[in-house]
Amino acid sequence: MTTTMGIKLDEDTRARLKALGAAKQRSPHWLMREAIREYLDREEQIERRNAEADEAWEEYKRTGQFVSNEAMTAWLDTWGTDKEGPCPDFEPRR
């Protein structure tokens, strides 16, 4: 199901949209739909990452567990080698 929404564009933006549509053999309507869809996908992904970061921060505040920068760096340095190590264990709050 679709619904119609209006958008007001200045003349320069409208002309650019029409020119790009012609160059890509797509309608301005198609370009606008794709731009909105891509924007929403990107912003929703950012919101999901922010929510995950908030959850991780709350978990740290509850437990105090963390992986030190030194342990994480040492582990990441093994990636792509024949001696790839296991993920480091959490450490207690200092």
Side-chain angles (χ1 to χ4, degrees), residues 27-68:
S27 69
H29 178 261
W30 186 90
L31 293 176
M32 289 186 289
R33 267 196 346 243
E34 285 301 302
I36 291 168
R37 189 174 296 121
E38 287 179 18
Y39 174 80
L40 291 172
D41 288 348
R42 184 178 63 243
E43 291 300 313
E44 288 168 347
Q45 183 178 24
I46 290 168
E47 288 303 312
R48 282 190 299 275
R49 279 195 309 254
N50 288 344
E52 289 171 5
D54 289 344
E55 289 173 22
W57 175 242
E58 291 303 318
E59 178 72 13
Y60 170 74
K61 289 193 305 187
R62 268 192 310 280
T63 67
Q65 292 183 326
F66 69 99
V67 176
S68 71

Side-chain angles (χ1 to χ4, degrees), residues 60-93:
Y60 170 74
K61 289 193 305 187
R62 268 192 310 280
T63 67
Q65 292 183 326
F66 69 99
V67 176
S68 71
N69 183 56
E70 295 81 14
M72 184 61 72
T73 301
W75 177 51
L76 292 175
D77 285 344
T78 69
W79 283 21
T81 71
D82 293 337
K83 296 177 179 152
E84 187 170 319
C87 178
D89 290 326
F90 285 110
E91 300 175 22
R93 187 182 308 210

